[in-house]
Amino acid sequence: AQAAVPVSTEKMTLPKHECQRITRLKHHNHRFTTALEVLEEHAGYLQVGQKTDSRARAFRRAACSLKALPHPLTNVEEARTLPHVGTHSLSVIQDILEDGYSQEVQDISDGDFYGTMQLFTGIFGVGSATARKWYERGFRTLDDIRNDSTLSLKKDQTIGLELYQDLNTPVTLAEADIIQEMVRAEVQKLLPGATVVLTGGFRRGKTKGHDVDLLISHPTEGKETGLLSAVLAKLREKDLLAYETTSANTYDPSSVSRKEYTLDHFERCFSIFKLDKSLISSNQNTKQAPPSPVGAVQQGSSRPDLLHHKDKVSLERAGGTASFLDEEKTEEKTWIGRRVDLIIAPASQYAYALVGWTGSKHFNRSLRLYADNEMNMKLTNHVLYDSVKNQYLPASSEEDVFLHLQLPYREPAERNC
Ligand code: GTP
Ligand code: MN
Ligand code: MN
C-alpha cells in the first residue's frame, strides 16, 4: 500500500538544512533525483583518496532539495530558487524538463566505467578506490577478479565475491524481521531486559535494504558490557555466521572536542548471517520489486539494470546469465547470506545512537552540520555537546535530541534525504 504523497502548489521556501525539512521516500521529483543520484554516485567513483567528496555531495544536496519539494518541479526558474541546486545540477534539471532525459546522465550510466564500478563496489569489502584500481588494470567482470591469481584479496572481499549474488539481492523487510527476532532471542536469553531495535533504512520505512542494522542496548547502564561477544558466540555455535568482524568500544568522551568527533566508537560487529532459506517464504527473494518511478534516466536506457546497484546488479557481468532465479546455482547451500550490523549502545548514549543509526546518512550529516553551524553544538552518535555552555546534553529519547537542537521532531520516515 503506497500512501499518496500530498501535493501542495503553495509557493514555499525550503530551509537550508535538510534536517529542517520533511523528506519522505516517495516524493514528486523522482525523474530528477534518480538522474542526480547517478551523478552523485559517479562523482563518488572518481573521488581520489580521502579527499572530501564535495562534487558527489553537491549532487546529493540538490537531489535532497527536490525530494523535499511538495509538488513536481515544472520549471527551471523554481529550481534556481531552491537551496543547494548548483549550476551543474540546474543544467541537468533543465535537460530533463526540456527533453525528458539528460544525455550526460545517459552517457554516464551507459558507460563502461560506471557499470564496472557499480559491479565492483557491489562486492562486500570493496570501496571505490579498489574498484577503480581494478578498472584501470583492465578488469571488467567478477570472473576477471576471481581468476587473477596476482590479486591478494582480503578476507571480506573473498567472501564478498563468493556471496556476490546473495549480498546483491535486496534484503526484504520480512527477512530483516526474522533476523531481528533471531538476534533478540539470543540477546534476551543472555541478558533479560535487553533491547534489539531494527534501525537503518528499514526503520525509515524502506521495504528493501542492503543490510540489517540492529541496535542493541539495556536500560541499565553497563549491563550491555560483554553482551556482543556472548551473542556472537551463540550465533557461531549455531553456525549462523558466514563472516564477522568486531570492533571494540573505543569511545572517549574527550574526543568530542577534537576533530574525529564524527566517528562512531560503539562496540559493533559487521557480519554476514546465514539465513536459512526455509525460513523465507518460497518466492519472496526472487520476486522482483516493482520498478521505481519512471525517471528520465530509465527512458530508453539500454541498461536499466545498472541504475541502482544497491537494488539490482548486472547479471551479465556478475557471472553469466544465471539469474537469482537459477535454482541450480543456489541449491548447493540451504541459506542465503545477509549483511547484518550489530551495534551495542550503553543506555546513556542510546538516544543519540538511535538517531545516528537510523540515518539516513545524509540526514545525519545535515544534523551535525546544523548543530555545529546554527547551535554551536557538537553532535555525534554518542552525545550532544554544547560548546557555549560547555556541557553535555543528556537525552533519553529521539524527541529529546531534536528538542536540544531546537528542531521540530522528524519521524524516521521523514528523514529520507
Ligand atoms: P540500506 O542499508 O542500504 O538499505 O540503507 P541504510 O540507510 O540502512 O544504510 P546503512 O546500513 O549503510 O546505514 C544506516 C545508518 O548507519 C546510517 O545513518 C549510517 O550513517 C550509519 N552507519 C552505517 N555504517 C556506519 C559506520 O561504519 N559508522 C558509522 N558511524 N555509522 C554508520
Ligand atoms: Mn542499512
Ligand atoms: Mn548498515
Side-chain angles (χ1 to χ4, degrees), residues 2 26 30 34 208 287-295 298 304 307-308 311-312:
Q2 298 178 356
K26 296 203 179 310
H30 290 280
T34 50
K208 298 180 300 176
K287 210 189 285 172
Q288 273 299 326
S292 53
V294 178
Q298 273 145 310
L307 286 174
H308 304 103
D311 297 343
K312 297 170 189 172

Side-chain angles (χ1 to χ4, degrees), residues 140-208:
R140 292 295 180 271
T141 68
L142 293 185
D143 279 339
D144 290 346
I145 307 294
R146 290 187 178 114
N147 299 335
D148 191 298
S149 53
T150 65
L151 291 177
S152 50
L153 296 174
K154 286 185 264 159
K155 194 181 151 212
D156 52 352
Q157 298 169 339
T158 306
I159 190 106
L161 272 172
E162 224 168 90
L163 297 178
Y164 189 86
Q165 293 217 344
D166 283 5
L167 301 184
N168 283 278
T169 305
V171 181
T172 64
L173 179 58
E175 291 172 329
D177 287 339
I178 293 170
I179 290 170
Q180 179 189 13
E181 280 316 314
M182 275 163 54
V183 173
R184 201 208 307 268
E186 295 304 337
V187 162
Q188 294 186 339
K189 255 185 274 171
L190 290 158
L191 183 62
T195 56
V196 178
V197 170
L198 181 59
T199 63
F202 288 114
R203 186 160 184 260
R204 300 197 309 276
K206 286 174 67 176
T207 53
K208 298 180 300 176

Side-chain angles (χ1 to χ4, degrees), residues 199-201 210-214 270 339-343 357:
T199 63
H210 98 282
D211 69 354
V212 180
D213 305 287
L214 296 175
F270 295 153
R339 278 272 299 107
V340 179
D341 291 340
L342 302 172
I343 304 98
W357 282 86

Side-chain angles (χ1 to χ4, degrees), residues 77-277:
E77 288 321 309
E78 181 174 16
R80 224 183 284 279
T81 68
L82 298 175
H84 316 297
V85 179
T87 50
H88 196 154
S89 296
L90 262 182
S91 79
V92 172
I93 291 166
Q94 184 155 22
D95 287 346
I96 295 171
L97 282 168
E98 286 171 5
D99 310 329
Y101 73 104
S102 152
Q103 193 60 51
E104 181 192 5
V105 172
Q106 197 62 62
D107 290 345
I108 286 172
S109 56
D110 285 348
D112 205 27
F113 175 72
Y114 183 76
T116 308
M117 290 295 286
Q118 277 197 318
L119 180 74
F120 290 169
T121 56
I123 305 169
F124 176 55
V126 176
S128 60
T130 303
R132 208 180 42 213
K133 204 173 64 194
W134 291 346
Y135 177 83
E136 280 159 10
R137 282 183 56 173
F139 298 128
R140 292 295 180 271
T141 68
L142 293 185
D143 279 339
D144 290 346
I145 307 294
R146 290 187 178 114
N147 299 335
D148 191 298
S149 53
T150 65
L151 291 177
S152 50
L153 296 174
K154 286 185 264 159
K155 194 181 151 212
D156 52 352
Q157 298 169 339
T158 306
I159 190 106
L161 272 172
E162 224 168 90
L163 297 178
Y164 189 86
Q165 293 217 344
D166 283 5
L167 301 184
N168 283 278
T169 305
V171 181
T172 64
L173 179 58
E175 291 172 329
D177 287 339
I178 293 170
I179 290 170
Q180 179 189 13
E181 280 316 314
M182 275 163 54
V183 173
R184 201 208 307 268
E186 295 304 337
V187 162
Q188 294 186 339
K189 255 185 274 171
L190 290 158
L191 183 62
T195 56
V196 178
V197 170
L198 181 59
T199 63
F202 288 114
R203 186 160 184 260
R204 300 197 309 276
K206 286 174 67 176
T207 53
K208 298 180 300 176
H210 98 282
D211 69 354
V212 180
D213 305 287
L214 296 175
L215 183 61
I216 303 170
S217 190
H218 189 281
T220 308
E221 183 92 2
K223 286 259 193 194
E224 78 289 346
T225 309
L227 181 58
L228 184 60
S229 54
V231 170
L232 290 170
K234 287 288 179 201
L235 295 170
R236 232 176 273 134
E237 222 170 80
K238 296 185 174 175
D239 193 27
L240 288 173
L241 297 176
Y243 172 88
E244 55 178 296
T245 179
T246 309
S247 7
N249 185 331
T250 54
Y251 178 60
D252 166 9
S254 70
S255 73
V256 77
S257 53
R258 299 203 302 265
K259 207 169 176 289
E260 70 269 35
Y261 79 93
T262 51
L263 297 176
D264 184 300
H265 301 276
F266 291 115
E267 181 183 18
R268 64 179 171 217
C269 178
F270 295 153
S271 72
I272 299 173
F273 271 46
K274 299 180 184 177
L275 181 60
D276 198 303
K277 284 180 186 163

Side-chain angles (χ1 to χ4, degrees), residues 391-404:
Q391 64 185 30
Y392 291 97
L393 304 175
S396 54
S397 66
E398 286 186 308
E399 283 83 350
D400 284 352
V401 177
F402 284 82
L403 261 179
H404 284 318

Side-chain angles (χ1 to χ4, degrees), residues 34-75:
T34 50
L36 292 169
E37 279 164 357
V38 169
L39 295 176
E40 176 196 4
E41 199 172 12
H42 183 246
Y45 294 156
L46 291 170
Q47 170 202 332
V48 183
Q50 294 291 84
K51 195 171 158 279
T52 42
D53 48 347
S54 58
R55 278 189 71 238
R57 206 166 301 176
F59 292 125
R60 163 61 69 144
R61 296 200 86 179
C64 284
S65 292
L66 290 169
K67 288 180 190 179
L69 205 62
H71 54 260
L73 184 77
T74 52
N75 67 81

